[in-house]
Structures are given as C-alpha cells and as structure tokens.
C-alpha cells in the first residue's frame, strides 16, 4: 500500500517519539512558584469539548507545585472576541483558549507550541446536507469544487479563511461558530469544513442535526492548533507547557490522543478518501517546523491512533 497522502512514512515504536520531536527545548525556564488555588477561565468552546477540556486538566494536574485549580467556563464569546480579550492582558473573561495558530496569534499572544490534537486539525472533512452528497462525487481538486459551485463555510476570524481563499476556494463567513450550522442548512454554502479531530464530537450536538459527513474527500493543509494565553501571563503559559511536556514524557499524552481521537480517525476511513492538498503560506518559522514533523510522521501517528492493541 502506498504511504497515506503520499507522505513519507517514518518508522517508530510508539507515539511518544513522534510528539516529543515537536518540542526540542522547553519554552520557559523552570521557575519556583508558591502553591495556591488557581481559577482558570477556559474559552467556552474548549470547555464544552471533552477532549480539549481533558487535556487542560491533564496539563494542570501534572504541575501540582502550582497549587490546586478550578476550570471555569467562559461566557459565549466569539473566537475573535476571546482572542482580543487575551491580547489586552488581565481580562476577567478568558485565560486560556485553544485555537488554530497563525503568525498574528503567535506574535500577539503567548502560544504553547504543542499541537493539542497531534496535528490533526488541518485535515478536514465536509459536513453537508444529505441531499447534497451527489455534488461531491468524483471531485479531485479545488477546480472541480469551483466548477460545481461548492462553497465552504468558515468563521470570519479563523485563520483557515485566508488559506482557503488564497487557494481559490469560495468561502462564506460568519463571526459566530454556532450560526454556521444554520447557514449550511439554509443553503448559504455546501461544505462546512471540520477538523477530523473535532467533527465526531460536533455531530453529537444539536447544532449538527440533519447533517452528515461527506465520505469521499479530505482537505489537507498545515494547521497546528495550540493553547494560547495572554502575552503577560507567563505563569499560566509555563504551567501548561511544563504539564504537557511531563505528559509526553510519561506517556499520558499519547494515551490521551488515542482515547480522544482514535475512534473518530478510524471511523472516517481516511485511506479511502481523495486528498486535496492546500498550501498554507501563513505559518511562522516555528510552526513550519512543527507541521513538517507532523506531515513526516502522519502515517505512523494515524496507525497508532487506529490500532486496537
């Protein structure tokens, strides 16, 4: 069988070697802290997502020297509003947000440069209306999508939007994530492109009622997804970074990935899909290095996630 997505396969004995390659040195030096109880306001979409919520808890649990903690659900802020709150420092509305990375976000905020889903966010399938499934049969590239007048729905503030537009995709946007599901049902666009690490969770919610996953296509572009905190919030950044590194070292991060995404990845039948590769020119040098590791090791990563052993 040819390598998945035409990507070189790197042999590895376990997922730990793949993940630790993404982070060569700690982002922050070890600093002494005084244990105390800490409240962390997590952006509501991350709080409601069981996988992301669990990973934040894992990182915080791995750093007991920082004291006990409580996660609090933020108000229902749009992604753009949540990031603006973080950028301003000392916001009471949000402390931690997991979103796709971009140069502006990495420059304006403090990123913890470990992909929370092992790099799966940039591999996307289409949520569609059942009656539109026939539109997608036989599509091989972006030109085919354009010739069939297939539009993709995206958040107005998401970094995916300029990536897709720059590759010739007709993109329809809205500032609110929840509204996009209704726009799809109302035929404002034909494909709501969702990451393979998030789409199965979304199908369980009321917003996705009457929608299905299109079974033949996979959109692929480099898109690391990081935790972000305010520029001056060094303590939270250090705690998350240190907690994730400890989780990688003791194997609990690999277990988290398999438990959170293994069934979803297996059920999407990635090997049977036509891959449409899309260029992402909007990456920092650091994120380009991260995504290069992801692509080099993707086949082994997916094999691990879908292996029942």
């Amino acid at each position: 069988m040819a390598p998945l997505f035409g990507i070189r396969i790197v042999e590895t004995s376990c997922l730990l070697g793949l993940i630790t390659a993404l982070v060569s040195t700690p982002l922050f030096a070890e600093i002494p802290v005084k244990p105390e109880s800490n409240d962390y306001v997590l952006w509501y979409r991350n709080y409601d997502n069981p996988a992301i919520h669990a990973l934040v808890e894992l990182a915080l649990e791995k750093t007991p020297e920082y004291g006990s903690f409580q996660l609090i659900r933020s108000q229902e802020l749009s992604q753009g509003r949540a990031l603006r709150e973080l950028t301003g420092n000392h916001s009471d509305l949000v402390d931690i947000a997991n979103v796709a990375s971009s140069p502006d976000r990495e420059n304006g905020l403090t990123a913890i440069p470990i992909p929370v889903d092992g790099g799966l966010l940039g591999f996307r399938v289409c949520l569609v209306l059942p009656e539109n499934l026939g539109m997608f049969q036989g599509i091989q590239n972006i030109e085919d999508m354009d010739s069939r007048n297939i539009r993709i729905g995206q958040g107005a503030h998401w970094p995916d939007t300029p990536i897709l537009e720059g590759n010739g995709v007709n993109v329809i946007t809205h500032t609110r994530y929840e509204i996009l599901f209704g726009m799809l049902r109302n035929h404002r666009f034909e494909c709501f492109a969702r990451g393979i690490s998030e789409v199965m969770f979304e199908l369980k919610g009321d917003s996705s009622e009457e929608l299905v996953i299109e079974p033949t296509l996979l959109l692929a572009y480099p898109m690391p997804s990081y935790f972000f905190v305010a520029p001056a919030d060094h303590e939270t950044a250090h705690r998350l970074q240190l907690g994730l590194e400890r989780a990688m070292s003791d194997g609990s991060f690999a277990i988290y990935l398999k438990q959170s995404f293994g069934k979803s990845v297996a059920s999407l039948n990635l090997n049977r899909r036509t891959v449409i590769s899309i260029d992402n020119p909007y990456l920092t040098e650091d994120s380009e290095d991260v995504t290069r590791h992801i692509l080099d090791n993707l086949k082994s990563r997916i094999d691990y996630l879908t292996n029942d052993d």
Side-chain angles (χ1 to χ4, degrees):
M1 181 181 293
L4 183 65
F5 309 157
I7 295 167
R8 177 171 60 88
I9 300 174
V10 177
E11 295 297 332
T12 183
S13 59
C14 67
L15 190 62
L16 178 59
L18 303 182
I19 302 170
T20 53
L22 301 180
V23 183
S24 57
T25 57
L27 183 62
F28 304 98
E30 293 282 350
I31 56 174
V33 292
K34 181 180 180 180
E36 57 183 22
S37 179
N38 297 283
D39 292 340
Y40 297 99
V41 181
L42 181 62
W43 183 39
Y44 84 100
R45 279 184 53 195
N46 301 151
Y47 188 98
D48 293 345
N49 184 314
I52 303 305
H53 190 285
L55 185 58
V56 177
E57 285 194 329
L58 178 63
L60 297 177
E61 288 167 355
K62 293 291 180 182
T63 50
E65 65 267 40
Y66 283 81
S68 59
F69 67 88
Q70 179 180 359
L71 283 182
I72 299 172
R73 186 181 189 267
S74 81
Q75 300 176 22
E76 296 192 1
L77 310 172
S78 70
Q79 186 173 130
R81 171 72 185 282
L83 297 182
R84 287 194 298 273
E85 289 292 328
L86 287 176
T87 302
N89 281 310
H90 310 300
S91 173
D92 293 329
L93 298 182
V94 63
D95 296 313
I96 303 169
N98 163 234
V99 293
S101 188
S102 72
D104 286 345
R105 292 174 178 184
E106 290 183 37
N107 291 332
L109 298 167
T110 298
I112 291 78
I114 300 173
V116 301
D117 56 6
L120 299 176
L121 184 64
F123 298 90
R124 298 190 166 238
V125 295
C126 286
L127 275 181
V128 303
L129 290 167
E131 60 264 34
N132 286 341
L133 283 170
M135 298 179 65
F136 295 84
Q137 292 182 359
I139 287 178
Q140 298 294 316
N141 49 46
I142 293 296
E143 290 74 19
D144 289 342
M145 295 182 69
D146 184 58
S147 69
R148 301 185 189 189
N149 297 316
I150 292 176
R151 301 163 293 179
I152 291 181
Q154 289 283 284
H157 302 290
W158 299 354
D160 310 65
T161 299
I163 294 169
L164 293 169
E165 290 175 336
N167 282 270
V169 177
N170 188 354
V171 180
I172 306 297
T173 66
H174 197 280
T175 57
R176 287 300 301 271
Y177 158 80
E178 292 85 357
I179 299 298
L180 288 161
F181 291 94
M183 292 174 67
L184 175 58
R185 280 191 288 268
N186 290 327
H187 303 277
R188 296 286 303 279
F189 50 83
E190 291 67 45
C191 164
F192 189 11
R194 309 305 301 139
I196 63 176
S197 58
E198 61 190 358
V199 66
M200 301 305 292
F201 161 72
E202 292 174 333
L203 277 182
K204 297 177 183 178
D206 295 337
S207 296
S208 296
E209 187 177 356
E210 301 175 354
L211 303 178
V212 297
I213 299 173
E214 195 284 323
T216 67
L217 297 181
L218 182 69
L219 305 175
Y221 47 91
M223 177 59 69
S225 176
Y226 299 149
F227 288 125
F228 287 88
V229 301
D233 192 0
H234 303 302
E235 183 170 305
T236 301
H238 185 272
R239 182 170 190 174
L240 290 172
Q241 173 84 16
L242 182 60
L244 291 176
E245 290 178 348
R246 288 175 176 172
M248 289 189 292
S249 296
D250 66 18
S252 54
F253 187 64
I255 293 171
Y256 152 79
L257 287 176
K258 189 163 188 174
Q259 290 178 340
S260 298
F261 307 119
K263 290 182 180 179
S264 295
V265 171
S267 68
L268 291 171
N269 297 315
L270 301 184
N271 282 320
R272 302 178 185 176
R273 291 175 177 267
T274 298
V275 180
I276 299 179
S277 297
I278 297 174
D279 180 52
N280 179 3
Y282 307 107
L283 289 174
T284 64
E285 185 176 344
D286 288 342
S287 285
E288 284 182 354
D289 185 59
V290 168
T291 55
R292 183 167 57 252
H293 284 294
I294 290 170
L295 294 175
D296 282 348
N297 297 302
L298 182 64
K299 176 59 167 61
S300 295
R301 189 181 302 262
I302 289 176
D303 284 348
Y304 173 84
L305 291 175
T306 57
N307 192 319
D308 291 332
D309 295 339

